[in-house]
Structure formats: C-alpha cells, structure tokens
Amino acid sequence: MKNNISIVCILIFFISCSGKMKEQTACSLSATLDKNDILRTIKTVNDNWQASHPVHANAFWHPAVYHTGNMSIYQVTGQEEYRIYSENWAEQNNWKGATSDNKQEWKYTYGETEEYVLFGDWQTCFQVYVDLYLLDPDERKIKRAKEVMEYQMAISRDDYWWWVDGLYMVMPVMSRLYKVTGEELYLQKLYEYFSFARKLMFDEENSLFYRDAKYIYPKHTTKNGLKDFWARGNGWVFAAIPRVLEDLPLQDPFREEYIRIFLSMAEALKATQQPEGYWTRSLLDSAHAPGFETSGTAFFTYGYLWGINNGLLDRKTYEPVVAKSWHYLTNIALQPDGTIGFVQPIGERADQHTEVGPDTTADFGVGAFLLAATEMVKYLNK
C-alpha cells in the first residue's frame, strides 16, 4: 500500500522533471506506478469503508457522493460486491432523494427534510441510480429522477445552483438523464443553471469559484485580506465538468464553454498546489486555514487525470501536478488500515474546522479518492 519502491520512483520523478532537466526529459508517471498496486489500494480503501458501514445511509449528498466513487471504481474493477453495495443503498432509499410526493410543498432552498426535493443535495443520488440503470435497465430505477427533474425544468427559474457544491451534485444528473432519454431539454436547462452559477460565483480574474454569494470578495476576505476560494468548493466544479463532458455530444453548443472553464481552472489550481502535493483549504491563502486537506485534493487529482486521459490537458505540463497529489493521497492521506484521513468535515468555508487529522474521514472524501483512483487506473492502462 505504502510501497517504498513507488515512493522512491516518485521522488526520482520529481527530481528528473524539475528545473532545466524538465526541458530535456520526457517524463512518464506510468513508469513510477504499478496498476496492480493501485488496484490493491482501491480494494483496501473500499473494503474498509464498506465493512465499517454495513448499515446504509440515507440518500443525502454525502453518502451519494461516496456512491458516485464506488460506482466509478466498479467500472474499472468489475467487483460485483461494489455494485451490489450501491444497489442495496438505492433499494433502501426507494430510488428517491427527498421523499415528499406533494409537489405543492417541494422546495429548492437549503433543507434536509422530505420536502426539499428540488434542493440539489437531495438530487446527487440520481447520478448513481442512472449508473445502475445503465448496467441493468429498469424504469423504476430512474422514474423518480425523471419525475423530479422534469418538474424542475418546467419551472421558469434558473437559480437552483446558488452554492458551488450544487454543480457536482446535479450537473451530471442532467447530462446522464440526457444520455438515457435523448431529451435535449436536459442539456438546455443544464447550461441555463450553470450560467447562473458561473455569473454568481466564478471569478474570471482568478479562474476560481467562490462557495456562494456570501464569500465574494471584497465583502468577504481571508484573515489576511485575500480572496477566499475554498478548495473543496472548487473541487466540486473541477470534478463535475469532466463527469458532464463524458455524457455530452460533441456537437453540444455549450461544450466549449465547459471546457474553457475547466482549462482555466486547471491552470489556476496548478499555481496553488503546495510542495507536498495537497491544496490548502483556502487556495490563495495557506495561512488562513493551514494543514493537510484531502477532499479538495482528491477531486483536483481526479479532474487532472481525467483531463490528461481525455486529451484536454497537456501531459507534460500536468503530470508533475498529479505525481505530487497522488503521492500525498497515498502516502499521507491514506492510513495503514485503509482510512482516508485529513478530510475536512462537512461545512461551507475554509476555516470552519481547526482539527483535521489522519483520523478525520468522511464518506464524500472516500468517494473523491475513489474517483481519482479510477482515473489513475485508466491512466496506467494507456
């Protein structure tokens, strides 16, 4: 798991790809890692999580994010027990998010009770339900997802994603439902909702997203007066766009806009990575909330690997970024028993938690790690 040979190889990679030598050396991360080691790490992490969580959680965003990672891992491992684990979770939740059937009471502002059907945190689960449907089509698996999203799209408003997390929670739901139904309205409304979120939260100067309207500079600053871009908040977007691009037709008129945002974020994030490979919770001010953090780092690693694997990101430019972040994820965040540590707990801002340590883990953090690991396996298969 913490393979000494791999550590030495990665250190050699850092040295040989730095300074003047970087210009002369065609480096390949694939020469420093072994796919079977990665698969063993995946098994250790995911088996540990599932064994320690035999009772399934509800369908709210954070268990749902874990299951997006679990289903992603299933695609590269073919481990039936992983699919079954997500299927059982979906069955327990009756293939629903928030459970109210009274459309007159459906709400889209923040809420954790049954009437918040239109709140994106209750829609994340639909990504997993569609993934399960695609493996074994059965209309009941996506009936509720279609009902909710069709109702939402019939309402003439575009401000559903007023917080940055919502982009990961729902953008891939809409692109996946388009993939299943062929209904163009999903892609039209997806772009309308994304445009609202971009105009509200995206800082064009820094190519990064604020968490929501409360955190926009200069109304809000870090302790040192800088713009406060939350790592996990940007991780949600940097992971969401690849998941959408996988489903979009090449001729989609908005595809280039998603790619533009993704590429600009990739460049901005590269400049904020710490020497140890992780990203601090406040991207431009490491002193604002210092210390290791895994969830944002894992989502960034996933996005970078996906971009390299799919030809959107230059391999020579971004391989060193991935080498450092993967080293952090597997040699600092990953604990001997398979726990993914240093995950900032649930919250909404960079400095919300003072104690984030090796035992600080969460379902969504494990899900993020599994997404990154999936793309690493694909990278090593090339």
Side-chain angles (χ1 to χ4, degrees):
M1 183 167 57
K2 294 193 177 183
N3 189 299
N4 290 332
I5 295 175
S6 295
I7 295 172
V8 171
C9 288
I10 291 174
L11 290 174
I12 292 171
F13 178 92
F14 292 158
I15 294 168
S16 64
C17 290
S18 62
K20 294 181 180 178
M21 290 186 68
K22 182 177 178 182
E23 300 175 3
Q24 303 168 358
T25 307
C27 297
S28 173
L29 183 57
S30 59
T32 72
L33 295 173
D34 180 82
K35 185 179 74 171
N36 290 326
D37 286 342
I38 306 300
L39 290 171
R40 281 190 288 270
T41 296
I42 288 169
K43 182 171 175 57
T44 299
V45 169
N46 212 24
D47 289 0
N48 173 69
W49 181 265
Q50 293 188 7
S52 59
H53 295 82
V55 177
H56 288 291
N58 65 9
F60 204 40
W61 71 269
H62 50 94
V65 170
Y66 163 76
H67 285 279
T68 65
N70 183 55
M71 288 303 298
S72 180
I73 286 300
Y74 170 73
Q75 293 171 11
V76 296
T77 65
Q79 292 290 319
E80 275 297 297
E81 61 266 32
Y82 296 162
R83 180 195 60 78
I84 291 168
Y85 188 79
S86 284
E87 184 112 16
N88 289 342
W89 168 75
E91 288 284 2
Q92 177 177 294
N93 288 292
N94 297 312
W95 304 91
K96 289 185 174 184
T99 57
S100 170
D101 290 322
N102 180 4
K103 293 181 174 63
Q104 301 303 313
E105 69 176 15
W106 285 6
K107 300 176 182 178
Y108 77 101
T109 53
Y110 182 88
E112 300 186 18
T113 50
E114 66 175 11
E115 68 272 20
Y116 286 90
V117 175
L118 304 181
F119 176 43
D121 282 3
W122 279 114
Q123 297 173 347
T124 320
C125 58
F126 297 153
Q127 296 181 47
V128 183
Y129 301 167
V130 175
D131 286 346
L132 289 164
Y133 169 88
L134 290 170
L135 292 171
D136 181 22
D138 181 342
E139 186 64 21
R140 73 188 182 91
K141 296 178 181 179
I142 57 171
K143 180 180 179 181
R144 177 66 167 192
K146 290 165 62 177
E147 176 191 22
V148 169
M149 301 313 298
E150 288 171 4
Y151 178 88
Q152 179 171 307
M153 293 189 301
I155 300 171
S156 59
R157 67 183 321 139
D158 61 7
D159 58 346
Y160 290 104
W161 304 337
W162 47 266
W163 81 121
V164 75
D165 313 35
L167 300 183
Y168 184 88
M169 305 309 163
V170 199
M171 285 181 71
V173 171
M174 301 186 78
S175 63
R176 276 165 165 71
L177 284 172
Y178 163 77
K179 184 176 179 180
V180 168
T181 67
E183 175 53 63
E184 295 283 344
L185 185 60
Y186 281 108
L187 301 186
Q188 296 170 21
K189 290 295 184 178
L190 166 61
Y191 185 71
E192 286 181 27
Y193 303 161
F194 175 77
S195 294
F196 169 83
R198 176 181 53 77
K199 292 172 185 176
L200 176 66
M201 294 176 283
F202 187 61
D203 186 302
E204 292 281 354
E205 179 184 14
N206 293 95
S207 294
L208 295 169
F209 280 81
Y210 296 104
R211 193 273 179 179
D212 60 50
K214 299 192 300 294
Y215 295 96
I216 295 175
Y217 181 88
K219 180 170 62 176
H220 169 84
T221 68
T222 67
K223 295 168 185 174
N224 296 302
L226 302 178
K227 294 178 180 179
D228 191 10
F229 297 111
W230 185 31
R232 185 158 73 233
N234 281 274
W236 292 128
V237 186
F238 201 60
I241 293 175
R243 290 175 68 78
V244 167
L245 291 175
E246 287 181 342
D247 300 327
L248 282 188
L250 293 178
Q251 68 273 20
D252 181 83
F254 312 117
R255 186 181 181 89
E256 290 306 312
E257 173 68 4
Y258 300 130
I259 292 174
R260 180 186 74 83
I261 297 293
F262 179 73
L263 295 180
S264 66
M265 290 186 72
E267 184 176 357
L269 291 167
K270 179 177 182 291
T272 64
Q273 187 180 30
Q274 300 299 303
E276 298 90 339
Y278 71 101
W279 280 264
T280 54
R281 287 177 275 163
S282 185
L283 292 171
L284 301 188
D285 190 349
S286 59
H288 181 63
F292 297 136
E293 206 289 306
T294 297
S295 60
T297 298
F299 283 127
F300 296 150
T301 305
Y302 163 70
Y304 279 119
L305 278 165
W306 187 93
I308 293 170
N309 288 341
N310 289 274
L312 287 183
L313 294 178
D314 178 68
R315 184 179 295 266
K316 291 174 68 174
T317 300
Y318 291 105
E319 265 190 345
V321 176
V322 172
K324 290 192 293 183
S325 65
W326 186 253
H327 182 266
Y328 164 79
L329 289 173
T330 54
N331 291 279
I332 297 176
L334 177 60
Q335 305 306 303
D337 66 351
T339 297
I340 300 298
F342 297 102
V343 177
Q344 184 187 4
I346 292 173
E348 67 172 60
R349 68 178 193 272
D351 66 340
Q352 195 163 349
H353 309 91
T354 56
E355 298 297 329
V356 178
D359 298 324
T360 311
T361 192
D363 42 14
F364 59 88
V366 176
F369 178 89
L370 295 176
L371 286 168
T374 298
E375 288 302 315
M376 182 59 81
V377 173
K378 294 177 180 178
Y379 172 88
L380 295 174
N381 279 336
K382 286 186 175 294

